[in-house]
Amino acid sequence: DIQMTQSPSSLSASLGDRVTISCQASQDIKHFLNWYQQKPGKAPKLLIYDASNLETGVPSRFSGSGSGTDFTFTISSLQPEDIATYYCEHYNNLPPGYSFGQGTKLEI
Amino acid sequence: QVQLVESGGGVVQPGRSLRLSCAASGFAFDTCPMHWVRQAPGKGLEWVAVISYDGGAKYYADSVRGRFTISRDNSKNTLDLQMSSLRPDDTAVYYCTRTPARRRGGFDLWGQGILVTVSS
């Protein structure tokens, strides 16, 4: 099974900061990686799909990059509404399987 | 309105069964693979099961294979999860979610979640 290692597990930043979160796969997963935001008591929200594609309606301060084993999620200028936990997620299609990173709790 | 709404959660004793349902509306349900994802209290996300758009293929996480069964009724736009031999570590909020028809992956629409508590 492919293991996803997300770091850091928590992060404290200031408004306006550039924030980066990393996700590392135990083997090459090409671009099959997504990023989610989850606020307390709410369902996750898809932000980035296939490593670098911004989901419709998501602000452009969010971005993703990487391929193979190393991926990065970036918030270019932290806003108050960005306080949440962020998860990476890898998917396989053959056979179908899905694994989430451990999550990064972002705080001010 | 495009939405997923889960129902059927509650408190159940270990070893018993429970059936969750998810009602879909506002989109072409019969074109989308559908999933269940769960989150134990204070923990991260765990994918549980997927069913293909036509119900012909089903896959499960190792932690639930042989105990849980995913199914769908495209005539009623509903997704179900039959859970049996429940254990305390199945306690979680269960989310119904979809992969959009035009993509290979990514969960772009989620229900509000339903809490299942396995306790004596």
Side-chain angles (χ1 to χ4, degrees):
Chain A
D1 288 357
I2 296 174
Q3 304 301 316
M4 306 303 298
T5 302
Q6 187 175 339
S7 62
S9 57
S10 64
L11 176 59
S12 182
S14 300
L15 297 180
D17 279 357
R18 182 180 182 87
V19 172
T20 61
I21 299 169
S22 297
C23 194
Q24 186 170 52
S26 58
Q27 57 186 278
D28 186 349
I29 62 169
K30 304 185 188 306
H31 60 275
F32 300 141
L33 186 103
N34 307 307
W35 291 96
Y36 299 85
Q37 175 193 68
Q38 187 179 33
K39 297 182 178 180
K42 300 296 186 180
K45 176 184 177 182
L46 178 64
L47 301 179
I48 303 289
Y49 66 94
D50 290 346
S52 60
N53 295 284
L54 193 67
E55 178 70 352
T56 302
V58 173
S60 59
R61 65 180 180 274
F62 296 101
S63 64
S65 63
S67 66
T69 60
D70 295 298
F71 300 84
T72 300
F73 172 79
T74 300
I75 306 174
S76 61
S77 178
L78 186 65
Q79 301 301 303
E81 61 267 31
D82 300 337
I83 300 309
T85 299
Y86 293 84
Y87 294 92
C88 63
E89 175 246 334
H90 160 61
Y91 66 94
N92 279 321
N93 287 117
L94 295 171
Y98 310 81
S99 56
F100 289 91
Q102 302 91 328
T104 296
K105 186 174 183 179
L106 179 55
E107 300 171 315
I108 294 180
Chain B
Q1 184 178 3
V2 179
Q3 64 178 2
L4 299 168
V5 179
E6 300 96 339
S7 61
V11 180
V12 60
Q13 293 179 328
R16 302 298 292 265
S17 299
L18 194 66
R19 190 177 188 91
L20 302 182
S21 292
C22 172
S25 59
F27 67 97
F29 179 74
D30 59 359
T31 66
C32 298
M34 296 297 298
H35 308 254
W36 290 96
V37 172
R38 68 184 181 182
Q39 186 170 36
K43 303 297 184 182
L45 299 166
E46 180 189 17
W47 171 79
V48 172
V50 61
I51 186 168
S52 61
Y53 71 97
D54 61 356
K58 305 173 186 181
Y59 296 89
Y60 300 90
D62 290 345
S63 58
V64 307
R65 188 175 295 115
R67 300 187 300 121
F68 289 12
T69 301
I70 190 171
S71 61
R72 67 190 297 161
D73 185 337
N74 285 347
S75 68
K76 297 180 179 179
N77 286 356
T78 57
L79 173 73
D80 288 342
L81 185 69
Q82 178 68 45
M83 304 183 292
S84 60
S85 302
L86 282 162
R87 310 186 302 221
D89 63 355
D90 294 318
T91 294
V93 173
Y94 285 74
Y95 294 100
C96 165
T97 183
R98 75 173 189 188
T99 295
R102 64 189 183 282
R103 296 185 195 161
R104 297 178 63 182
F107 307 128
D108 75 329
L109 179 67
W110 296 70
Q112 83 283 1
I114 193 86
L115 179 62
V116 173
T117 303
V118 183
S119 174
S120 54

